Amino acid sequence: MSGSKKLSWLLRHGATEAGLPMDPAGWVDIAALLAMLDMKRAVLDQIVADNTKSRLQVEGDRIRACQGHSFGVPVQVEALEASWHRYEGADRVWHGTSVEAAEKIAASGEIARGARTHVHLAPGLESVVGKRAGVHVMLGVSVARVRAQGLEVFESPNGVVLCRAVPTGCIDQVEPQTKRAKKSNLADLFLL
């Protein structure tokens, strides 16, 4: 596992398993992290600088993953949300997914966060943050509809838009990204 992937895994999913102390907002002490990984600070700084999605945030002598934490680490949803900004952006954000997952979303009635603390959303179709590479379909989510459901929308320091869940009634557009998705009837599933 590369240094960047190992850091992301440790700070998003593996701190408890590795025995790395973490506060409720996901911050860990850099000195403790460097000792655990037997890593020099210059290497850590280079990994942070080279991360194309800016997933890692450094403040003074502490570091954290900006978002993407699983429930297996000692973060608290409220503490994470308090460390982010309320999202004030455009009326539509995007959730990238597979055809199969989109069908499950339509059947379940929501985009669920799964094992993570929040659903990840991209601020735009061309965004490099907030979505996985190689998605089949982008689901457009109306921020106004999400708020009308009583849900808050946040933005992490690296620009990922986050929400605890997204009811399917908030999906107002389906943008197929692959030939397979274009042949599917996903828009019909979401009654668009």
Side-chain angles (χ1 to χ4, degrees):
M1 186 182 301
S2 75
S4 177
K5 286 185 179 182
K6 184 164 186 153
L7 272 173
S8 287
W9 173 82
L10 188 60
L11 295 173
R12 293 170 95 188
H13 315 295
T16 301
E17 180 182 325
L20 181 65
M22 177 180 281
D23 80 6
W27 292 103
V28 301
D29 180 71
I30 288 177
L33 176 70
L34 294 175
M36 177 177 280
L37 297 175
D38 192 27
M39 182 185 285
K40 302 269 188 232
R41 176 66 190 251
V43 173
L44 174 70
D45 291 341
Q46 191 62 53
I47 289 170
V48 171
D50 289 346
N51 190 288
T52 59
K53 292 190 175 187
S54 302
R55 286 186 174 132
L56 305 172
Q57 181 181 9
V58 174
E59 280 187 5
D61 61 354
R62 60 189 191 155
I63 186 171
R64 74 173 181 170
C66 290
Q67 86 297 317
H69 302 88
S70 354
F71 282 109
V73 294
V75 295
Q76 295 174 358
V77 172
E78 295 80 8
L80 285 172
E81 291 173 351
S83 74
W84 299 331
H85 298 287
R86 293 227 183 319
Y87 181 69
E88 301 296 334
D91 187 51
R92 183 176 294 119
V93 292
W94 299 90
H95 181 72
T97 193
S98 67
V99 170
E100 294 79 15
E103 291 168 344
K104 288 178 184 175
I105 289 166
S108 73
E110 73 174 4
I111 302 172
R113 58 189 173 187
R116 304 226 177 158
T117 61
H118 292 80
V119 173
H120 291 199
L121 303 158
L125 283 172
E126 303 304 320
S127 176
V128 295
V129 299
K131 65 179 184 178
R132 290 185 170 92
V135 299
H136 298 165
V137 62
M138 297 295 289
L139 302 175
V141 175
S142 165
V143 175
R145 289 184 189 178
V146 170
R147 289 186 182 123
Q149 294 286 320
L151 297 165
E152 293 187 76
V153 183
F154 299 93
E155 183 176 13
S156 68
N158 65 335
V160 175
V161 180
L162 301 135
C163 190
R164 292 188 189 188
V166 177
T168 54
C170 299
I171 297 170
D172 66 355
Q173 192 168 340
V174 175
E175 287 292 330
Q177 303 294 298
T178 63
K179 288 180 184 178
R180 182 167 171 245
K182 288 175 184 170
K183 292 179 183 177
S184 71
N185 65 342
L186 291 175
D188 294 341
L189 290 176
F190 293 102
L191 304 174
L192 301 177

